[in-house]
């Protein structure tokens, strides 16, 4: 059989499998079905800033407690363009339906507060919003294509009447020209004014006030004022002839440190169903978590259902939902307070953790590099009884143990969230003890005689544990990843579900290595085709879990995973790689992610993930904005993160691992590739995955660096055992080398 025939068949099978797999994936996704347009409802929004669940109680805020008890509650994540959000930015995000900033504001040098004070408009009808030109300029200079006034424009286009009370409400309901149709101040006449507007307006927005301060005591007076406004709203609602949808949310932080904010919904949140239980949205998929601009989508969907305005495509949020759980309000609030506590405690612990994590990995790289260099320079290094193949036995065993510990560390940080360590009086010490215990258990398992005797035994344990923990967690909603040391941070408002870039990198690295491990004994027995099938199946499961919108929802993962696993399949089959075949597998990755994205885009707009949202962005002409934002973030990560040091150290270590060694000393990576050729192929496939992921994702250099923190310690540990095993089979080795 010619080489051409042998290579065509595997590629044809890979292509057929990709097509069939894509068709099978479509069964997991609901198709777009024309649904009847639900009836419109009146929407009342009560917005504020700086109110947290620790401020809310039956005694301190009786009106707000009563409002929350009537419906569903949650926490609003208000992150916009900076780490903390000012009041104007919170209201602007409601107006634009996406992240917005007030970045052009220059606060006085002697100002205690760096946020703009909201000035009230003058007049009552068709009034101009103060500082609107500054808001528009900030939006144009920003990276999120925000258009202040989008909400007001859509409501006006739908023919709906609106009423704004307070300066923040004016920002929310103003059109793109900066004018709001109807406005009134929040004063002693609020209740009768609201009664009049509830009888006439379709959408009413009330600014309940701004609360500032770091502590509960500092915020107490402001919170009491907000509660007084809520009481006036409740009094006015008693006169309403219909049941409006009432949305309450704190839209900005109370100080420079970000916090989760209060959210509540009362009334017909979805057609035919009143809000109850905990709030969430398709933006978060996490019970109790919503985004500030989710309210924008909710207002439009309930007040103007079936709107065809193209401006609604600018929204990044999704409609609010409620799970209908029957837990008491007190129990739900306690859970939300616990989420808020965890977000603050973990945020404070992340930086110290990553410093230690980076230092530990760099130290391992330095120790291994110095050990290789010293053994290479030593003319007597291969002859000592305490040496194995020229490398010191104690050194091999030490770096193996440390390598296994570092490789087990990422998974341990996720598993640590099974224990509520953030509630401890000394949370940093507690989480250190929990993570250390998990790491110690994994290392102990790897060093059991039955495991460590096998060259791939420890590698199998760590990669399988990492892959299984991440896969199960993502399938169950990514609760372990949310607000963990190496997971997603709720206060950042990045990813709440699926695979974020760190989790993807760990999952991709572990599954590629696991596929190589699974194929090793089959290739050794000459069963290359069976080995290729095993690798392809592991790759298919990995791609589905990572890319399926209902599970991993990872846009940048499949175009990296498909080529990587395809390369591994070809190498397992013994097929030589050429540029044409490499381009073919790259195209397969692009086709795969396009399939995921288009299928997600076919779903109803409010249910799409960021995959479908990206397709809509491309259709709306916003592709270049996404590309430029990712390039900018990639460039900043290249020089602005300690992970660059890990990546550089990894590159040096790889160079030392493959360069020609002196005397009888064999280069570590060459030794591993000679004794375990399929693992060597797996490392090549992993390099393909990480190179593509580095180019496509906005985390940039962080992706290969994270991969190195898992792969290199495992390779170091495997090298130590391979060196011991191979030394036994070489003539002239001392007996002590076989221990």
């Amino acid at each position: 059989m010619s080489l051409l025939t042998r290579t065509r068949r595997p590629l044809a099978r890979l292509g057929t499998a990709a097509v069939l797999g894509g068709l099978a994936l479509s069964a997991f996704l609901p198709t777009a079905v024309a649904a009847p347009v639900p009836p419109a409802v009146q929407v009342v929004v009560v917005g504020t800033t700086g109110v947290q669940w620790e401020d809310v109680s039956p005694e301190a805020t009786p009106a707000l407690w009563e409002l929350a008890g009537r419906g569903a509650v949650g926490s609003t994540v208000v992150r916009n363009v900076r780490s903390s959000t000012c009041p104007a930015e919170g209201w602007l995000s409601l107006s634009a339906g996406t992240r917005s900033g007030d970045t052009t504001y220059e606060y006085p040098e002697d100002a205690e507060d760096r946020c703009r004070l909201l000035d009230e408009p003058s007049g009552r009808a068709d009034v101009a919003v103060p500082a609107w030109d500054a808001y528009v300029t900030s939006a144009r200079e920003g990276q999120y294509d925000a258009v202040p006034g989008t909400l007001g424009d859509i409501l006006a286009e739908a023919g709906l009447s609106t009423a704004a009370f307070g300066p923040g409400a004016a920002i929310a309901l103003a059109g793109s020209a900066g004018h709001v149709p109807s406005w009134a101040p929040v004063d002693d006449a609020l209740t009768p004014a609201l009664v009049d507007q509830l009888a006439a307006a379709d959408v009413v927005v009330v600014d309940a006030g701004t609360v500032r301060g770091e502590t509960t005591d500092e915020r107490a007076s402001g919170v009491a004022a907000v509660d007084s406004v809520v009481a006036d709203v409740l009094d006015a609602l008693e006169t309403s002839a219909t049941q409006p949808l009432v949305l309450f949310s704190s839209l900005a932080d109370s100080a420079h440190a970000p916090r989760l904010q209060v959210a509540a919904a009362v009334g017909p949140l979805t057609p035919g169903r009143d809000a109850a239980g905990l709030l969430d949205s398709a933006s978060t998929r996490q019970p109790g978590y919503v985004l500030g601009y989710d309210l924008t989508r909710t207002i439009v969907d309930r007040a103007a259902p079936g709107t065809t305005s193209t401006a609604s495509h600018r929204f990044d949020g999704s409609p609010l939902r409620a799970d209908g759980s029957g837990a008491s309000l007190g129990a739900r609030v306690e859970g939300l307070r616990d989420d808020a506590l965890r977000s603050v405690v973990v945020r404070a612990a992340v930086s110290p953790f990553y410093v230690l994590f980076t230092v530990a990995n760099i130290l391992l790289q330095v120790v291994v590099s110095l050990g290789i260099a010293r053994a290479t320079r030593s003319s007597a290094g291969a002859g000592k009884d305490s040496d194995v193949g020229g490398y010191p036995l104690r050194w091999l065993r030490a770096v193996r143990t440390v390598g296994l510990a570092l490789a087990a560390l990422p998974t341990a940080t996720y598993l640590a969230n099974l224990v509520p360590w953030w509630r401890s009086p000394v949370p940093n010490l507690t989480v250190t003890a929990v993570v250390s215990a998990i790491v110690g258990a994994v290392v102990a398992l790897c060093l059991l005689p039955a495991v460590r005797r096998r060259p791939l035994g420890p590698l199998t344990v760590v990669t399988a544990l990492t892959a299984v923990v991440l896969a199960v967690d993502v399938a169950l909603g990514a609760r372990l990843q949310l607000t963990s040391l190496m997971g997603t941070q709720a206060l950042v408002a990045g990813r709440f579900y699926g695979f974020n870039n760190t989790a993807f990198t760990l999952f991709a690295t572990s599954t590629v290595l696991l596929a190589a491990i699974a194929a090793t004994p089959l290739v050794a027995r000459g069963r290359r085709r069976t080995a290729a099938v095993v690798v392809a199946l592991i790759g298919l499961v990995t791609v589905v879990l990572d890319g399926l919108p209902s599970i991993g929802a990872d846009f940048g993962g499949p175009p990296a995973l498909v080529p990587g696993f395809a390369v591994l399949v070809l190498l397992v089959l013994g097929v030589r790689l050429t540029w044409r075949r490499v381009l073919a597998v790259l195209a397969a990755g692009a086709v795969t992610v396009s399939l995921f994205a288009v299928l997600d885009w076919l779903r109803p707009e409010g249910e799409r993930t960021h995959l479908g949202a990206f397709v809509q962005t491309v259709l709306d002409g916003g592709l270049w904005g996404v590309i430029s934002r990712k390039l900018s973030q990639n460039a900043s990560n290249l020089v602005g993160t300690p992970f660059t040091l890990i990546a550089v150290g990894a590159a040096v270590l790889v160079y030392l691992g493959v360069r020609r060694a002196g005397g009888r000393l064999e280069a570590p990576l060459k030794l591993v590739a000679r004794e375990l050729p399929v693992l060597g192929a797996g490392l090549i496939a992993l390099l393909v995955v990480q190179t593509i992921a580095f180019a496509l994702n906005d985390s940039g250099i962080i992706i290969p660096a994270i991969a190195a923190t898992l792969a290199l310690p495992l390779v170091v540990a495997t090298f130590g055992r391979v060196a011991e095993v191979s030394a036994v089979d070489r003539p002239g080795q001392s007996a002590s080398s076989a221990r």
Side-chain angles (χ1 to χ4, degrees):
M1 184 182 294
S2 66
L3 177 61
L4 182 60
T5 303
R6 284 174 21 225
T7 56
R8 277 179 179 172
R9 289 182 178 178
L11 288 173
R13 289 169 185 156
L14 281 174
T16 302
V19 173
L20 293 177
L23 294 175
L25 290 176
S26 64
F28 289 89
L29 293 171
T31 56
V33 178
V37 177
V41 300
Q42 186 181 43
V43 179
V44 177
V45 180
V46 182
T48 183
T49 60
V51 180
Q52 304 163 31
W53 279 113
E54 63 182 279
D55 301 318
V56 180
S57 68
E59 297 77 23
T61 57
L64 182 51
W65 189 266
E66 179 185 348
L67 177 69
R70 295 181 182 182
V73 294
S75 294
T76 305
V77 183
V78 298
R79 172 70 177 263
N80 276 290
V81 298
R82 295 180 281 200
S83 59
S84 62
T85 297
C86 289
E89 295 171 329
W91 287 105
L92 283 168
S93 71
L94 184 63
S95 171
T98 188
R99 298 189 187 216
S100 302
D102 183 17
T103 54
T104 60
Y105 173 65
E106 297 182 2
Y107 55 88
E109 293 184 0
D110 58 345
E112 295 183 2
D113 198 334
R114 300 179 181 180
C115 295
R116 181 194 303 269
L117 294 177
L118 299 184
D119 295 326
E120 294 190 344
S122 58
R124 293 298 179 100
D126 193 29
V127 298
V129 175
W132 188 259
D133 290 342
Y135 299 150
V136 172
T137 301
S138 295
R140 288 174 179 171
E141 295 176 353
Q143 298 181 332
Y144 293 95
D145 299 323
V147 179
T150 299
L151 174 61
D153 286 347
I154 292 175
L155 296 177
E157 183 181 331
L160 301 182
S161 59
T162 62
F165 292 87
I171 295 175
L173 290 179
S176 55
H179 289 254
V180 60
S182 173
W183 180 85
V186 174
D187 53 23
D188 294 339
L190 177 60
T191 299
L194 273 174
V195 170
D196 293 339
Q197 292 295 350
L198 287 173
D202 299 296
V203 177
V204 178
V205 179
V206 180
D207 180 355
T210 297
V211 178
R212 306 296 286 174
E214 293 281 356
T215 67
T216 304
D217 290 340
E218 291 174 343
R219 295 192 301 272
S221 60
V223 170
V226 169
D227 193 66
S228 176
V229 174
V230 174
D232 290 341
V233 173
L234 290 177
D235 290 341
L237 289 172
E238 293 296 329
T239 67
S240 177
T242 61
Q243 183 185 23
L245 170 62
V246 181
L247 303 175
F248 178 90
S249 180
S250 179
L251 299 168
D253 293 302
S254 61
H256 303 311
R259 295 288 189 272
L260 295 178
Q261 305 294 312
V262 171
V266 178
L269 187 59
T270 55
R273 183 179 179 183
D274 286 347
L278 289 174
L279 292 171
D280 79 332
S281 72
S283 302
T284 66
R285 298 188 191 175
Q286 297 288 354
Y289 290 88
V290 300
L291 302 180
Y293 38 84
D294 285 339
L295 273 71
T296 312
R297 175 71 70 179
T298 307
I299 295 169
V300 172
D301 278 17
R302 298 306 288 127
T307 180
T308 58
S309 174
T310 57
S312 64
H313 294 323
R314 300 172 186 160
F315 295 161
D316 284 337
S318 301
L320 298 184
R321 307 178 301 200
D323 63 5
S325 60
S328 67
L329 177 60
R332 284 178 285 156
V333 169
E334 279 304 310
L336 295 172
R337 288 173 178 166
D338 189 61
D339 289 340
L341 175 64
R342 180 171 65 165
S343 68
V344 173
V345 172
V346 175
R347 182 174 183 267
V350 165
S351 293
F353 167 78
Y354 271 116
V355 169
L356 295 175
F357 184 66
T358 302
V359 170
N361 275 278
I362 292 176
L363 284 178
L364 177 66
Q365 293 171 354
V366 170
V367 169
V368 174
S369 299
L370 291 177
I372 295 173
R374 182 176 181 181
T376 302
R377 291 194 304 267
S378 176
S379 59
K384 296 181 180 179
D385 286 346
S386 60
D387 287 356
V388 174
Y391 297 97
L393 181 59
R394 289 184 179 178
W395 176 79
L396 286 174
R397 291 179 174 174
V399 296
R400 176 179 64 188
T401 302
V402 175
L404 290 173
L406 284 179
L409 185 57
T411 305
T413 64
Y414 296 127
L415 292 175
N417 268 17
L418 292 171
V419 180
W421 57 268
W422 54 89
R423 301 175 193 167
S424 167
V426 283
N428 287 352
L429 291 178
T430 303
V431 73
T432 300
V434 173
V435 170
S436 299
I438 296 172
V439 169
V442 174
V443 173
L445 178 60
C446 291
L447 295 181
L448 289 175
V451 177
R452 75 167 184 264
R453 288 196 192 102
R454 300 174 180 272
L456 291 175
L459 184 66
T460 304
V461 170
V462 176
T463 54
L465 177 66
T466 303
V468 169
V469 167
L470 289 172
V472 171
D473 182 44
V474 167
L476 295 179
R479 294 294 293 177
L480 293 181
Q481 292 181 52
L482 182 65
T483 321
S484 64
L485 290 175
M486 288 191 71
T488 55
Q489 300 304 312
L491 293 174
V492 175
R495 288 290 296 273
F496 290 84
Y497 59 88
F499 284 105
N500 72 324
N501 287 340
T502 298
F504 157 74
T505 304
L506 295 171
F507 187 61
T509 302
S510 59
T511 51
V512 169
L513 294 179
L514 196 58
I517 294 169
T520 295
L522 295 171
V523 173
R525 294 196 294 268
R527 302 175 61 184
R528 287 186 175 272
R529 291 185 178 180
T530 304
V533 171
V534 170
V535 171
L537 288 175
I538 294 175
L540 179 61
V541 172
T542 301
V543 171
V544 168
L545 289 175
D546 180 69
L548 199 64
S550 59
I551 304 178
D554 184 17
F555 183 81
L561 288 170
V562 171
F565 276 100
V567 165
L568 183 55
V569 167
L570 295 176
L571 292 175
V572 165
L573 287 170
V575 175
R576 185 171 62 87
L577 295 179
T578 64
W579 282 110
R580 181 175 297 178
R581 290 166 192 150
V582 170
L583 291 176
V585 296
L586 290 176
V591 170
T592 301
V593 72
S594 299
L595 175 66
F596 282 126
V598 171
L599 289 175
D600 187 41
W601 177 74
L602 291 175
R603 303 198 301 178
E605 189 173 2
E607 298 178 10
R608 295 172 187 166
T609 68
H610 69 289
L611 297 175
F614 175 77
V615 174
Q616 188 62 57
T617 299
V618 173
L619 295 176
D620 292 338
L623 177 61
W624 174 245
V626 175
I627 293 176
S628 61
R629 184 165 64 246
K630 288 182 177 291
L631 289 176
S632 174
Q633 292 172 335
N634 243 333
S636 63
N637 287 334
L638 189 61
V639 296
T641 171
F643 282 103
T644 302
L645 298 177
I646 295 180
V648 172
V652 172
L653 185 55
V654 169
Y655 167 74
L656 293 174
V658 298
R659 74 172 186 170
R660 183 183 299 276
R664 299 167 59 190
L665 195 66
E666 187 170 7
L669 284 178
K670 290 183 178 180
L671 174 62
V672 171
R674 177 173 60 81
E675 296 294 330
L676 301 168
V678 182
L679 179 59
L683 294 176
I684 294 174
L686 181 59
L687 181 62
V688 172
V689 172
Q690 298 305 325
T691 300
I692 297 174
F694 163 73
L696 293 180
N697 290 279
D698 52 15
S699 290
I701 196 68
I702 295 176
I703 288 181
I706 290 290
T709 64
L710 177 62
L712 282 183
L714 289 176
V715 172
V716 167
T718 303
F719 157 67
R721 183 55 187 159
V722 168
E724 292 185 62
V725 173
S726 62
V728 175
D729 299 330
R730 290 183 186 177
Q733 292 293 322
S734 61
S736 62
S737 298
R739 289 199 300 266

